[in-house]
Amino acid sequence: MKKIKFACNLSLLTLFALGQWACEWDPYEHDSDPVRETLELTASSSQIALDENDLSATVLTFDWTPARPMPDEYLVSYTTKLDLLNNNFGSSTAIVTSEDDGIFSRSYTSEQINNWANERWQVPVNKTFTLAFRVIAEYAGGPTYEMPEVRTVEVTVTPIKVDVFDADKVSLSGTAISSVTEIEKTVENANLYAWYGELSIGELQIPVELEGQTYYIVPSDGNGALRDGELVDVKMTETPVSWNIPNAGNYRLLIDMENKQVRIYSSATDLKPLSVTFHPNGAEANPEATIEVLDLYAYGAGTGWGVRKLNLKQSFADPQILIYDAEEHNGTKLSSGMKFCVAQNFSVGDADYNQNNAYCFTCPLTAEGKKQNLTLTLGKVGELHGGADGETRNSYYTIPASDLLIFDLRHGTILARNK
């Protein structure tokens, strides 16, 4: 039994000694020397801002020291790569340069970096980004393989500020609206977004999605007070500024993307539909009639000389813009000669009248004020004349078949166009 105990103790001592030896063993001390690398890489700055006023000037420089010296049979070459940090020097994104002998520096201008950011790397406008620059020193020609030396450095770039005013999607949000609501472009103007609806007391924001980024349309002067019914110059920023809605009620909001302006109407200042006051038949002896124009009634050769209610839609931008969309009428397009009356049947006092006696919109009269028939050109704005006199009521516009027929009663124009 004593021999067994001694053997066990000896084994434990041996294992302990081996453990100590293993902890102290360093292969670099006992096997081979580690590679002593000498390549060092530095950037002229860790943060830069691109200069739109001097695009051709150098804005960023990288310098590096030579890699470790080797015997003459080895040839060393240097390759540099520039890319967005998260691209990991991909083959389609990295800017790769094989450097000439004796060159240990690479510089870039604001113009180069700006163009690559926009075209090659697809960096969203006005978004700060991080560049990665890498130097690779590789050895060739010797009897054995030599590990390359690689160094990488990062630089944060502030892009050239771009006055962006475009959108893939425009919405309303904030405490003044019950839920985030998308705003659509108007049919009559692709540069105009319009919305009409109920707001409560609170803050209203206009977020914009553009190329995957979120911006906000805000007052240029930073003043979020509601300027009821007034045009307000606006800009797009990454930080929201809210409009303060002081009273609950219905509001109309217009965003003019072309002129960079916003107008918000409360019910107190809101645009009103057109009302026309006229004497039936244009006869002064007949009592005046006043009709609010919410729809129009077509009459003429294009309707087979029957009356056709058009069921026009009011634009959110202006209740005096009335739109006929063939898609919403089973694809039926208006065409041929027509006039457009404000009523089919109406009464003034004890007298009853129909569309033949009503105020109508049609082509302009001759220079002498006489009736005439004109043809509206597809895609071209035409003049829209209105009146209840006989010359006007006997004039007809030939309408080209189109997807849309847009009546702008406020400005006296008509437009037939396709989508």
Side-chain angles (χ1 to χ4, degrees):
M1 294 294 292
K2 289 183 179 180
K3 288 182 179 181
I4 294 173
K5 182 177 181 181
F6 174 76
C8 289
N9 289 340
L10 180 62
S11 297
L12 290 171
L13 288 171
T14 302
L15 289 172
F16 177 76
L18 287 172
Q20 288 290 99
W21 175 81
C23 290
E24 295 175 359
W25 177 258
D26 185 345
Y28 288 103
E29 296 295 334
H30 297 84
D31 193 5
S32 61
D33 292 334
V35 173
R36 305 297 182 183
E37 296 186 350
T38 61
L39 179 61
E40 294 182 2
L41 172 63
T42 58
S44 57
S45 177
S46 61
Q47 295 183 334
I48 64 167
L50 303 185
D51 186 358
E52 64 178 324
N53 297 315
D54 197 358
L55 289 171
S56 61
T58 296
V59 72
L60 180 60
T61 299
F62 298 97
D63 296 295
W64 59 95
T65 59
R68 65 186 182 277
M70 294 293 291
D72 291 344
E73 61 264 37
Y74 287 92
L75 296 176
V76 61
S77 62
Y78 295 88
T79 301
T80 58
K81 297 182 178 183
L82 180 71
D83 205 345
L84 285 186
L85 177 61
N86 293 332
N87 285 345
N88 297 316
F89 302 103
S91 59
S92 62
T93 57
I95 310 299
V96 181
T97 307
S98 297
E99 302 295 345
D100 294 334
D101 276 350
I103 300 299
F104 299 97
S105 181
R106 170 60 52 182
S107 296
Y108 301 97
T109 65
S110 290
E111 184 175 24
Q112 287 176 306
I113 296 174
N114 181 66
N115 289 342
W116 289 327
N118 294 336
E119 299 167 10
R120 192 182 188 97
W121 300 324
Q122 303 295 306
V123 177
V125 292
N126 298 331
K127 183 174 178 61
T128 298
F129 55 94
T130 301
L131 292 176
F133 182 84
R134 174 169 291 176
V135 177
I136 305 169
E138 296 178 283
Y139 298 92
T144 61
Y145 172 75
E146 288 291 328
M147 288 290 292
E149 293 190 31
V150 181
R151 296 291 183 273
T152 304
V153 67
E154 299 173 9
V155 176
T156 301
V157 180
T158 300
I160 294 171
K161 188 70 174 178
V162 178
D163 184 16
V164 180
F165 219 92
D166 198 1
D168 297 323
K169 179 180 177 180
V170 179
S171 302
L172 295 180
S173 66
T175 59
I177 194 165
S178 58
S179 61
V180 176
T181 303
E182 184 175 354
I183 311 177
E184 300 290 345
K185 293 179 181 179
T186 61
V187 170
E188 67 274 15
N189 185 346
N191 293 312
L192 186 66
Y193 288 78
W195 176 86
Y196 181 83
E198 187 176 355
L199 296 177
S200 56
I201 297 173
E203 295 185 340
L204 184 70
Q205 296 177 356
I206 308 177
V208 170
E209 293 181 19
L210 177 62
E211 297 178 351
Q213 300 297 307
T214 299
Y215 302 92
Y216 294 87
I217 293 177
V218 304
S220 294
D221 59 6
N223 180 7
L226 178 65
R227 284 163 270 190
D228 197 351
E230 297 180 18
L231 277 175
V232 177
D233 292 331
V234 292
K235 61 184 179 181
M236 278 175 52
T237 66
E238 296 181 0
T239 304
V241 174
S242 299
W243 272 272
N244 298 311
I245 305 302
N247 300 297
N250 287 325
Y251 287 80
R252 189 184 307 274
L253 185 144
L254 309 181
I255 304 171
D256 186 336
M257 300 295 286
E258 183 177 19
N259 296 309
K260 303 174 185 177
Q261 293 177 318
V262 164
R263 196 195 297 261
I264 302 176
Y265 297 95
S266 72
S267 56
T269 62
D270 195 17
L271 302 172
K272 301 295 188 291
L274 177 68
S275 288
V276 293
T277 299
F278 62 98
H279 296 278
N281 291 325
E284 295 289 334
N286 291 329
E288 283 188 338
T290 297
I291 294 179
E292 187 178 52
V293 185
L294 303 177
D295 204 348
L296 292 173
Y297 298 80
Y299 181 81
T303 64
W305 301 102
V307 180
R308 178 177 173 183
K309 185 179 181 182
L310 297 183
N311 294 313
L312 303 175
K313 286 181 62 177
Q314 287 183 341
S315 169
F316 283 142
D318 188 342
Q320 291 193 27
I321 297 177
L322 303 176
I323 302 166
Y324 181 90
D325 187 340
E327 185 177 348
E328 297 179 1
H329 295 81
N330 298 317
T332 302
K333 300 180 180 182
L334 301 177
S335 64
S336 193
M338 298 181 197
K339 63 182 178 181
F340 304 94
C341 307
V342 300
Q344 179 178 6
N345 297 291
F346 63 101
S347 300
V348 183
D350 296 330
D352 295 328
Y353 300 96
N354 61 27
Q355 78 284 341
N356 289 323
N357 319 115
Y359 187 103
C360 297
F361 294 100
T362 184
C363 62
L365 303 178
T366 67
E368 293 76 26
K370 299 300 182 179
K371 67 180 180 179
Q372 65 175 337
N373 298 333
L374 296 179
T375 298
L376 182 66
T377 302
L378 183 67
K380 184 177 180 180
V381 174
E383 181 183 347
L384 189 65
H385 168 71
D389 59 282
E391 300 299 329
T392 297
R393 289 184 290 109
N394 287 297
S395 297
Y396 294 87
Y397 243 140
T398 297
I399 305 299
S402 58
D403 297 330
L404 298 168
L405 188 61
I406 302 168
F407 301 88
D408 187 341
L409 305 184
R410 187 176 301 279
H411 299 101
T413 63
I414 183 172
L415 172 65
R417 70 171 177 84
N418 290 323
K419 291 184 177 179

